[in-house]
Amino acid sequence: MSQFDYPRHSGMPALGIGTWQNEDPEQCAESVRTALDVGYRHVDTAQIYGNEDAVGDGIEQADVDRDDVFLATKIWTSELSHDDVLESFEESLDKLGTDYVDLLYVHWPANEYDAEDTLSAFDELYDDGKIEHIGVSNFEPRHLDEAREALDAPLFANQVELHPFLPQAELREYTEAHDIELVGYSPLARGEVFDDDTITEVAEKHDASAAQVALAWAREKGVTAIPKATSEAHIRDNWGSLGVDLDPEDIEKIDGIDRREREVDPDFAPWN
């Protein structure tokens, strides 16, 4: 286990390993195993990533008990009718090699998504003990209102793109007000943080990498970041962000970056 303290948000480890585009089975399993051996205890995947079986292999190969891993996956938009949620989730469990997940997300409020129909299946899985927490992804405040109304169980988390160029202030305010955790994907803006002068300047001040600064900034905002990483070097570098303590001046500088852009913007996104 690493020398760093591992912050948690409502029991969820506040830094995870993302697996989007980690499609080579051996590489994916190895990166998950490596992350867990380094100290990570939060692993994020999704049906559409096509790697749930490899993620499960990596967890099995690591010298970590399954119950010590916070495992999250997501139901794709074509599987969001009530019955399809239940059926496809059983397939996900089989691929992951587990009988439960810690967090199950609606991946997007799109295609087959209907709040009442979809989330009634999530409530059923929650009541059956097959999921510990219910989450949604890429939801805006109006969708969160609708989901909270439809659910019997608590809405635990909303996963969205979040980084210094898309700080999601409105969603951070909303989720804090309603006791919902905010999980940030693409926290390095798909590598754009490495070329930003402000982030580089703060990184030099702390003898840290730009990635570590972006992740430390997210942590200061109360956000759980799940950076994608495949190589051991990047996995360890991201983990090192837990040892970076930004001061208020650093946060103010990063908050002042005059740049707003999305890296993930499909036609079916709710803001389009």
Side-chain angles (χ1 to χ4, degrees):
M1 185 54 133
S2 164
Q3 72 273 25
F4 300 125
D5 291 334
Y6 201 165
R8 290 175 178 264
H9 295 150
S10 300
M12 174 175 58
L15 178 66
I17 178 77
T19 62
W20 178 67
Q21 287 188 331
N22 198 345
E23 297 168 352
D24 178 85
E26 290 187 9
Q27 181 188 60
C28 182
E30 177 62 16
S31 62
V32 169
R33 183 200 64 77
T34 298
L36 292 173
D37 287 347
V38 164
Y40 291 75
R41 293 295 180 267
H42 181 170
V43 180
D44 183 272
T45 184
Q47 291 176 341
I48 197 65
Y49 298 172
N51 62 12
E52 287 176 314
D53 46 0
V55 167
D57 289 343
I59 294 173
E60 184 179 9
Q61 292 166 16
D63 189 22
V64 177
D65 289 340
R66 163 66 186 94
D67 288 346
D68 292 332
V69 178
F70 189 95
L71 176 60
T73 192
K74 311 175 195 74
I75 304 290
W76 185 240
T77 63
S78 61
E79 307 296 334
L80 290 174
S81 71
H82 178 277
D83 291 349
D84 286 345
V85 168
L86 299 180
E87 183 177 345
S88 69
F89 178 66
E90 289 299 327
E91 295 173 2
S92 290
L93 287 181
D94 184 60
K95 291 175 181 177
L96 290 164
T98 186
D99 56 4
Y100 75 99
V101 299
D102 298 86
L103 177 56
L104 183 67
Y105 293 100
V106 175
H107 206 149
W108 292 85
N111 198 350
E112 298 300 316
Y113 177 71
D114 174 85
E116 294 287 345
D117 188 49
T118 300
L119 295 174
S120 64
F122 276 65
D123 267 328
E124 189 174 325
L125 293 169
Y126 179 86
D127 290 340
D128 289 344
K130 293 184 176 180
I131 60 177
E132 296 288 332
H133 301 288
I134 294 173
V136 294
S137 185
N138 301 297
F139 276 41
E140 299 201 303
R142 67 183 188 275
H143 305 98
L144 294 171
D145 285 338
E146 185 182 43
R148 289 170 53 233
E149 179 69 24
L151 282 167
D152 292 328
L155 179 58
F156 179 77
N158 183 25
Q159 183 180 132
V160 297
E161 179 183 348
L162 191 149
H163 45 72
F165 315 132
L166 189 66
Q168 300 280 19
E170 182 184 13
L171 278 174
R172 285 192 284 113
E173 181 178 351
Y174 181 103
T175 52
E176 182 176 358
H178 296 284
D179 293 323
I180 299 169
E181 295 299 331
L182 198 58
V183 179
Y185 69 77
S186 297
L188 309 183
R190 295 191 176 179
E192 290 295 313
V193 299
F194 297 109
D195 297 322
D196 183 85
D197 291 342
T198 299
I199 294 175
T200 300
E201 178 183 330
V202 174
E204 290 174 352
K205 171 184 172 181
H206 289 274
D207 193 23
S209 69
Q212 290 172 345
V213 166
L215 296 172
W217 170 86
R219 187 176 70 251
E220 289 291 334
K221 297 296 184 182
V223 173
T224 293
I226 48 167
K228 178 189 72 171
T230 53
S231 72
E232 181 174 352
H234 287 156
I235 289 168
R236 289 188 179 276
D237 186 69
N238 291 343
W239 181 253
S241 67
L242 296 176
V244 177
D245 293 318
L246 302 180
D247 57 41
E249 179 186 1
D250 302 322
I251 300 297
E252 185 177 354
K253 282 183 178 180
I254 296 171
D255 288 347
I257 294 174
D258 185 20
R259 177 178 176 182
R260 294 293 177 263
E261 58 193 51
R262 287 187 183 274
E263 299 295 332
V264 180
D265 194 18
D267 291 341
F268 57 77
W271 49 83
N272 287 331

